[in-house]
Amino acid sequence: MCRARRRVAFRQFRVRRLDGRHRLAAAEPTCSFRRLVVVHDGATVGRRQIIGDEMDDICGLYSKAPTEAMLMLVFLLSLAGIPPLAGFYGKYFIFLSLIQTQHYLLASVAVLYAVLGLYYYMRIASAMFMRPAVDTEPVEISAGMSVALAITGVATIAIGVFPEAMIRASAWSLGIQQAGASVISLLK
């Protein structure tokens, strides 16, 4: 690779994850290749040190960490906009506003993208639950991570089941009581 192209490639990278000792960064240049750069004392090493970078990393997650796999499924379904999860109301209000403003073509494109998104989310879920694990080593989760997962899992389900309380709290915090009431009237 010529020197100028290499310079451009290494300028245009996006940091994926930082590891304390090795400063891991995933380089995604505009070229067609993708490489993981591990910078330690000026040395550059090849790819593949980040867990979760490929689909094989989450294969069989249910057998290694069943609680985390179930929470991941809840989060994926919420992203897909499946009721009664929090993500449903976000998509509902977007579709509702598009239809009310007579942007039917845009609403149909949004529905198409939501269906395509659901397909890809279910591919991830299928890998977690149905494919055998490549690595049988159990996943270790810290106490802080467990607490964070529990809070976000409960919040995702609670906001989906009781959206009115979240809408009222958001409207109150922004000081727009009247707007909160109009949004709540859409739910009924």
Side-chain angles (χ1 to χ4, degrees):
M1 180 190 301
C2 70
R3 183 178 283 178
R5 203 167 150 193
R6 191 175 332 151
R7 244 185 271 135
V8 170
F10 284 108
R11 271 190 223 146
Q12 298 177 352
F13 71 94
R14 181 172 50 149
V15 174
R16 279 268 176 127
R17 179 178 171 177
L18 294 177
D19 186 296
R21 293 176 301 156
H22 299 291
R23 292 180 292 172
L24 293 175
E28 291 186 335
T30 57
C31 304
S32 63
F33 66 92
R34 183 174 166 185
R35 169 182 286 191
L36 178 71
V37 179
V38 180
V39 182
H40 187 281
D41 298 329
T44 303
V45 182
R47 179 169 168 36
R48 190 72 177 123
Q49 295 293 325
I50 296 177
I51 297 173
D53 193 33
E54 292 183 8
M55 188 72 87
D56 288 337
D57 294 337
I58 61 168
C59 288
L61 182 63
Y62 184 73
S63 64
K64 297 187 289 187
T67 305
E68 289 79 8
M70 291 302 291
L71 284 171
M72 178 82 166
L73 179 65
V74 167
F75 299 143
L76 288 171
L77 291 175
S78 179
L79 284 171
I82 304 297
L85 301 171
F88 168 73
Y89 290 100
K91 288 196 182 199
Y92 171 76
F93 287 126
I94 289 172
F95 295 152
L96 183 67
S97 67
L98 287 173
I99 291 170
Q100 286 177 344
T101 58
Q102 298 177 351
H103 291 97
Y104 302 118
L105 180 64
L106 193 55
S108 59
V109 169
V111 168
L112 177 68
Y113 277 115
V115 170
L116 288 174
L118 178 63
Y119 168 74
Y120 283 105
Y121 296 144
M122 290 303 101
R123 283 187 58 198
I124 295 170
S126 172
M128 286 189 312
F129 290 95
M130 298 187 164
R131 289 173 70 191
V134 175
D135 182 17
T136 58
E137 186 175 316
V139 178
E140 295 179 17
I141 304 290
S142 67
M145 181 65 78
S146 296
V147 169
L149 286 171
I151 290 171
T152 54
V154 168
T156 300
I157 294 170
I159 291 169
V161 174
F162 305 109
E164 194 171 319
M166 184 64 182
I167 292 169
R168 286 185 198 270
S170 299
W172 175 82
S173 71
L174 296 172
I176 49 174
Q177 295 296 330
Q178 193 171 12
S182 66
V183 171
I184 291 172
S185 69
L186 291 174
L187 291 175
K188 295 180 180 180

